[in-house]
């Protein structure tokens, strides 16, 4: 059903699974005995967060945050707003932020600065997708699943107007789907 709206799959389900195992192994070694707080940025990071955390074989804790930067459509508003804060204090903690995608970098710059201001011991960023060409502020992820061209992507958490997050791969939609919504 959804398949007929797709122009091209850029990253398959198997590739995401393999990459999650790889990053999971690295984090297991790096955070062994550190009990990091893994922070999922809702809603986009949910599928990747689930995939990644089950590949980490040491103690972790989980918490969730909602920030908004997009207000529908395919371009960023430029403004980052906190919608739901963490339940856990980050003071002295080692934090791993898990994001779906870095585009302009504004969301992650805001979050990293906020957590460091709250005296986190360390803040690292894991992102499923990086779109380096979209960057307007200086911020890089510590671990990147897939570095992809500057196109509007959906699937595996990434949405177009709240739709398509449930696709099990990362893809580009046919042009008419974007046109119909605008
Ligand atoms: P940034 O603040 O511009 O780096 O954007 C981060 C947020 O923008 C992500 O968490 C996504 O919600 C959204 N975003 C950026 N690029 C895409 C895309 O290609 N598809 C879907 N959402 C995107
Ligand atoms: Mg998002």
């Amino acid at each position: 059903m959804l398949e007929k709206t797709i122009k091209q799959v850029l990253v398959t389900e198997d590739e995401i699974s393999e990459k999650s195992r790889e990053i999971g192994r690295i984090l297991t070694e790096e955070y062994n005995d550190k009990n990091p707080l893994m922070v999922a940025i809702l809603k986009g990071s949910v599928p990747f967060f689930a995939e990644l955390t089950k590949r980490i074989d040491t103690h972790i804790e989980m918490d969730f945050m909602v920030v908004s930067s997009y207000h529908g459509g395919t371009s960023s508003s430029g403004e980052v707003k906190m919608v739901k804060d963490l339940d856990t204090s980050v003071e002295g903690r080692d934090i791993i932020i898990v994001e779906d995608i870095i585009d302009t970098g504004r969301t992650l710059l805001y979050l990293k600065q906020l957590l460091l201001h709250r005296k986190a011991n360390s803040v690292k960023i894991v992102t499923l997708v990086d779109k380096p060409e979209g960057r307007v502020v200086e911020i890089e992820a510590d671990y990147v699943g897939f570095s992809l061209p500057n196109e509007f992507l959906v699937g595996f958490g990434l949405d177009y107007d709240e739709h398509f997050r449930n696709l099990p791969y990362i893809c580009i939609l046919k042009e008419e789907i974007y046109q119909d919504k605008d």
Side-chain angles (χ1 to χ4, degrees):
M1 297 244 285
L2 287 177
E3 205 166 305
K4 63 177 188 295
T5 60
I6 290 156
K7 183 177 168 191
Q8 191 192 353
V9 174
L10 298 188
V11 188
T12 66
E13 200 172 353
D14 284 350
E15 286 170 325
I16 295 169
S17 167
E18 185 45 46
K19 185 63 79 175
S20 303
R21 286 173 194 268
E22 192 184 309
I23 299 175
R25 277 194 293 270
I26 296 169
L27 294 178
T28 300
E29 268 191 32
E30 192 167 324
Y31 287 89
N32 195 18
D33 296 329
K34 288 194 176 150
N35 189 30
L37 181 67
M38 295 196 63
V39 175
I41 310 305
L42 301 179
K43 306 165 212 170
S45 76
V46 167
F48 179 50
F49 192 74
E51 194 76 26
L52 178 65
T53 52
K54 69 186 178 192
R55 303 302 173 202
I56 298 177
D57 187 17
T58 187
H59 290 279
I60 62 163
E61 290 176 37
M62 298 180 182
D63 206 343
F64 304 88
M65 239 178 170
V66 182
V67 291
S68 80
S69 54
Y70 269 27
H71 303 281
T74 58
S75 61
S76 170
S77 64
E79 178 197 338
V80 183
K81 199 176 79 190
M82 164 88 71
V83 180
K84 185 222 169 277
D85 206 340
L86 296 170
D87 295 331
T88 319
S89 164
V90 302
E91 193 171 341
R93 298 293 303 266
D94 293 300
I95 311 297
I96 305 172
I97 300 175
V98 181
E99 234 318 16
D100 52 358
I101 192 165
I102 313 184
D103 182 17
T104 65
R106 287 192 186 104
T107 307
L108 280 169
L109 184 67
Y110 166 82
L111 285 174
K112 191 168 182 177
Q113 284 174 343
L114 177 73
L115 299 180
L116 287 172
H117 178 76
R118 290 178 180 176
K119 301 191 171 64
N121 184 52
S122 68
V123 179
K124 286 210 176 182
I125 296 168
V126 184
T127 187
L128 175 62
V129 177
D130 189 8
K131 292 201 294 192
E133 294 159 47
R135 209 71 94 251
V136 300
V137 295
E138 230 173 278
I139 182 109
E140 295 307 326
D142 299 277
Y143 305 100
V144 174
F146 303 92
S147 192
L148 297 176
N150 204 2
E151 290 186 88
F152 197 78
L153 310 167
V154 298
F156 221 86
L158 293 164
D159 71 302
Y160 174 53
D161 257 354
E162 296 300 326
H163 289 257
F164 303 103
R165 294 191 197 274
N166 51 319
L167 288 172
Y169 40 71
I170 297 166
C171 64
I172 304 170
L173 297 173
K174 288 181 181 157
E175 275 85 12
E176 62 257 34
I177 306 295
Y178 301 120
Q179 284 155 11
D180 285 355
K181 283 264 187 178
D182 288 339

